[in-house]
Amino acid sequence: MNATPLVLAVLDELLASAAPDERGALWHLAEQGRELDANLVRLPPGAGVGEHQEDALDVLLVVLSGGGTLRTQGTGTLDLSPTTVLWLPRTSRRALEAGEDGLAYLTVHRRRPGLMIKPSAPAAATAPRVVTPPAATAPPAVAAPPTAYEGGEAPCMLDLVCPECGRLSADRAPRFCSACGEPFPER
């Protein structure tokens, strides 16, 4: 099967058409069968992305407009300006801060399959065993009989699950699913 190249977006047009106070991901790569993820992100003046670390993926960051700084543990502070291309190796700690003109950038990285919440499997002989911690006056704890593994996340995280594909978002305030591109409901 041969894939056909497509123009997916014109970044200058996306930036120009966004509301002046709009921040976060303005566009993301959402084509089926892709092996990459990409996001167009805009931060208003003085806004930032707190210190974080990506353990599994290298990220390529290309500054499109505005400016700012990138703080790292290894190199200190790096200045960001249009046409700057950064490699953010996996396991590097970093934080971004937009300058007085804001900051717009494109990130590209290998696609990582999302965490899916699926129905629990039938109990198996290797199911986790639950051990009750001993109370101060109770006899030593003994392993309870095997129970079925329920899986999933706590109910308070259900608003982070994509209603379309079931992927759990790592973002605490998701706007779009990074797996299928479906918008999350308004909160």
Side-chain angles (χ1 to χ4, degrees), residues 115 117 149-161 168 172:
L115 171 66
I117 296 178
Y149 177 67
E150 294 297 323
E153 297 290 337
C156 62
M157 295 181 72
L158 290 177
D159 62 336
L160 302 178
V161 176
L168 177 65
R172 295 296 153 216

Side-chain angles (χ1 to χ4, degrees), residues 12-129:
D12 286 340
E13 292 175 8
L14 288 170
L15 288 169
S17 66
D21 61 342
E22 192 171 355
R23 66 172 288 161
L26 302 178
W27 173 86
H28 65 279
L29 185 60
E31 279 44 52
Q32 293 295 322
R34 69 191 188 278
E35 293 185 12
L36 289 176
D37 274 331
N39 297 285
L40 172 61
V41 179
R42 184 169 68 184
L43 299 174
V49 175
E51 186 173 290
H52 64 286
Q53 176 175 319
E54 172 53 63
D55 290 327
L57 300 171
D58 291 350
V59 177
L60 186 71
L61 185 148
V62 181
V63 178
L64 302 172
S65 66
T69 57
L70 175 85
R71 289 188 326 274
T72 71
Q73 285 183 333
T75 56
T77 301
L78 301 173
D79 290 328
L80 304 177
S81 59
T83 71
T84 300
V85 178
L86 296 165
W87 171 50
L88 306 172
R90 67 183 176 275
T91 73
S92 64
R93 294 202 60 77
R94 64 269 192 156
L96 286 166
E97 186 171 328
E100 62 186 32
D101 295 326
L103 178 64
Y105 58 93
L106 179 72
T107 60
V108 181
H109 56 82
R110 181 177 45 87
R111 185 174 185 206
R112 172 179 44 203
L115 171 66
M116 301 293 288
I117 296 178
K118 297 180 180 178
S120 62
T126 59
R129 297 176 66 84

